[in-house]
Amino acid sequence: MKGEIMRVELISVGTEILLGDIVNTNTAYLSKELATLGIDVHRQTTVGDNRDRLLQTLSTAFCENDTVIITGGLGPTDDDITKECAAEYFNRDFYFHEYSWAKILERLTRSGRNLITDNNKKQAMIPNGAIVLENFCGTAPGIIIEEENKRIILMPGPPREMKDMFKKSVRPYLERFSSKKFISKYIRFYGIGESLLETKIKYLMDNQTNPTLALYAKTGEVLLRVTASDDTVELCEKLINDKVLEIEKIVGEYIYLIGDDNISETQTELHNVVANLLIENKLTISVAESLTGGQLSSMLVEKGGISVSLLEGIVCYSNKSKIHALGVKEETLNQFGAVSEQTAKEMVIGVSRRLNSDVAVATTGIAGPKSDDTNKPVGLVYIAVYYQGEVKVFERIFTGSRELIRTRSSIEALNEVRKIILEHI
């Protein structure tokens, strides 16, 4: 089948998905990953933990597709029926897989569980002739059953286990069915919305062939995936680099990061970009937060090694804290209020002086759900950035929930820090 176009259906198994108790992120992840391999997903289906319905779903799926990928239903309990239905569909008996059982015992023992019951052995039962995929993050092994030009790929439902298994085992397996190489690069944008970005690069989107382009909205950001296929990795990379240059000429001012799939899954990568700029340029930073309540400092702390740059983060939520910790003047607060350009400026100067940092950033604003007694609008935010004696203050108005306003403010603050560092290095 090498070189032929694979037709795939994704099936998610679990009554908890149908009831809305959990959000199904597996299909979105798999669809994206399969696209990078040049594999189109023809349908996505969710079915509960019901034997007859799952068997009917498999029968329908194979009427139109040659490959079915199923996530979920590989646990040790009676309602985990995926493996049994797949084996029944292909008329396979089971055997006890000693290696899988040894790995299950090892993991259960390591996790501190003293009671190992008979139903744990269920996960080590494998359909005859199946390919076994080791689970490095959990107990349920994955399984591939092949028959003529049909195949079922079974993976566990927990996203962490599924993603690890896909990367290590399923993706290499699927790559064997294509004579082409597929490479993707991701571009992260800040300061431009998805609709405006699409408008600006509409010509490229409408005329895409190879590479292909796909837009994804993030929280306050946009991600663009560029995927190329060719005979070699080198030819793919050249196609991608040429396309990236075209994109940069049109909207380069909004691009803050270009990389592989490691930068594609998070809502933002600005904290890592800023942390790297600080570390690489041997700059120190201090943070004063009112509105964001420590979120900005927490985002920077996610980066390993940031301790050489991040001197301190202060949550100065009350006016009293702003006065005593940062030296904000009482008359400034009385005249202009805590949410003001003047207060933000004094906050950032105050925190920069405490430990004489090269860079400082301060946030103050109204996250809601109600305004304060000044009648200033919910979502009004002031961000002050200090760089070696220079201070800039930015006024922004964000909409949405309290949580979203705080998150957008933190990301915006990081972006302004990024820009001021790049202006001076």
Side-chain angles (χ1 to χ4, degrees):
M1 186 179 166
K2 192 175 181 69
E4 296 181 15
I5 298 174
M6 186 177 287
R7 297 177 63 89
V8 174
E9 177 160 340
L10 301 180
I11 299 176
S12 303
V13 177
T15 302
E16 67 277 12
I17 301 174
L18 289 175
L19 294 176
D21 291 335
I22 65 170
V23 177
N24 182 9
T25 61
N26 287 344
T27 53
Y29 172 84
L30 289 172
S31 294
K32 186 170 75 170
E33 289 297 317
L34 292 170
T36 67
L37 294 171
I39 299 172
D40 292 328
V41 175
H42 288 256
R43 186 165 52 212
Q44 300 176 358
T45 305
T46 301
V47 62
D49 301 306
N50 181 286
R51 173 187 168 278
D52 292 338
R53 291 174 194 161
L54 181 52
L55 285 171
Q56 180 58 49
T57 300
L58 283 173
S59 180
T60 302
F62 278 117
C63 287
E64 301 176 355
N65 306 286
D66 51 61
T67 303
V68 174
I69 300 177
I70 307 179
T71 56
L74 297 181
T77 60
D78 289 341
D79 61 349
D80 292 305
I81 57 169
T82 299
K83 179 172 53 179
E84 288 72 19
C85 288
E88 182 175 343
Y89 183 83
F90 280 134
N91 195 27
R92 304 287 180 93
D93 291 326
F94 286 90
Y95 73 98
F96 186 70
H97 194 243
E98 295 286 352
Y99 179 80
S100 291
W101 178 237
K103 300 304 291 186
I104 291 169
L105 285 175
E106 178 186 333
R107 178 164 289 276
L108 293 177
T109 303
R110 188 167 70 242
S111 67
R113 288 179 59 180
N114 297 319
L115 182 62
I116 298 174
T117 58
D118 286 340
N119 63 356
N120 290 126
K121 292 184 177 181
K122 176 185 174 184
Q123 292 181 304
M125 298 301 295
I126 305 296
N128 287 332
I131 300 170
V132 182
L133 310 177
E134 185 168 349
N135 187 340
F136 295 95
C137 301
T139 56
I143 292 169
I144 301 175
I145 306 176
E146 300 173 314
E147 188 165 303
E148 296 179 348
N149 288 327
K150 295 180 180 179
R151 66 198 57 80
I152 297 179
I153 302 171
L154 309 179
M155 289 187 288
R160 178 170 171 267
E161 297 179 33
M162 184 277 295
K163 290 179 182 179
D164 185 77
M165 186 176 291
F166 183 87
K167 291 177 181 177
K168 292 177 178 176
S169 301
V170 176
R171 185 184 179 95
Y173 169 82
L174 294 173
E175 285 175 342
R176 296 172 8 203
F177 296 95
S178 175
S179 59
K180 296 286 186 180
K181 300 293 183 182
F182 293 88
I183 303 292
S184 290
K185 188 167 284 190
Y186 294 84
I187 307 174
R188 299 200 73 128
F189 298 82
Y190 187 85
I192 185 171
E194 182 182 16
S195 58
L196 181 56
L197 177 58
E198 184 179 39
T199 299
K200 285 183 174 291
I201 61 172
K202 183 173 175 53
Y203 174 79
L204 300 180
M205 298 290 290
D206 289 346
N207 293 279
Q208 58 178 309
T209 52
N210 185 27
T212 59
L213 309 177
L215 286 170
Y216 305 92
K218 300 287 185 177
T219 301
E221 299 185 15
V222 185
L223 181 74
L224 177 65
R225 189 192 73 217
V226 185
T227 302
S229 64
D230 215 309
D231 294 331
T232 67
V233 170
E234 291 74 20
L235 288 173
C236 289
E237 289 178 342
K238 183 180 185 310
L239 287 169
I240 289 175
N241 292 336
D242 289 346
K243 186 61 64 175
V244 170
L245 286 174
E246 285 187 71
I247 295 166
E248 286 179 324
K249 288 178 182 177
I250 303 170
V251 286
E253 63 187 296
Y254 302 105
I255 296 173
Y256 77 85
L257 185 62
I258 300 173
D260 58 19
D261 63 353
N262 291 323
I263 71 163
S264 69
E265 294 185 12
T266 56
Q267 288 300 316
T268 185
E269 285 292 322
L270 274 167
H271 57 303
N272 286 320
V273 170
V274 170
N276 285 331
L277 282 172
L278 291 165
I279 296 168
E280 291 167 4
N281 292 283
K282 296 181 171 57
L283 296 170
T284 56
I285 188 170
S286 298
V287 183
E289 302 183 67
S290 182
L291 162 80
T292 49
Q295 186 176 35
L296 181 50
S297 299
S298 179
M299 292 174 74
L300 287 171
V301 169
E302 289 182 24
K303 175 67 179 180
I306 193 61
S307 58
V308 300
S309 292
L310 180 58
L311 299 183
E312 66 176 346
I314 299 175
V315 177
C316 45
Y317 213 73
S318 68
N319 285 353
K320 184 181 290 187
S321 176
K322 292 177 177 68
I323 293 169
H324 291 286
L326 302 178
V328 175
K329 298 183 183 67
E330 191 170 353
E331 53 265 34
T332 300
L333 292 165
N334 291 335
Q335 182 177 354
F336 301 103
V339 180
S340 64
E341 176 183 349
Q342 294 80 3
T343 296
K345 183 175 182 179
E346 291 186 17
M347 286 173 63
V348 81
I349 291 173
V351 77
S352 69
R353 287 175 176 172
R354 283 173 58 91
L355 295 175
N356 195 30
S357 61
D358 300 308
V359 185
V361 58
T363 63
T364 183
I366 303 173
K370 296 180 180 180
S371 180
D372 57 16
D373 55 10
T374 65
N375 292 320
K376 293 175 181 176
V378 171
L380 176 63
V381 175
Y382 289 95
I383 297 166
V385 180
Y386 167 95
Y387 186 95
Q388 297 180 349
E390 176 187 352
V391 177
K392 293 183 178 180
V393 182
F394 307 91
E395 178 184 297
R396 299 287 185 266
I397 295 182
F398 297 117
T399 59
S401 66
R402 179 180 176 84
E403 179 183 3
L404 182 58
I405 290 170
R406 294 178 62 247
T407 299
R408 290 291 306 275
S409 300
S410 298
I411 296 172
E412 182 76 10
L414 287 167
N415 189 54
E416 294 301 342
V417 171
R418 176 186 71 90
K419 286 161 60 178
I420 202 168
I421 292 174
L422 291 174
E423 287 174 8
H424 290 85
I425 61 174

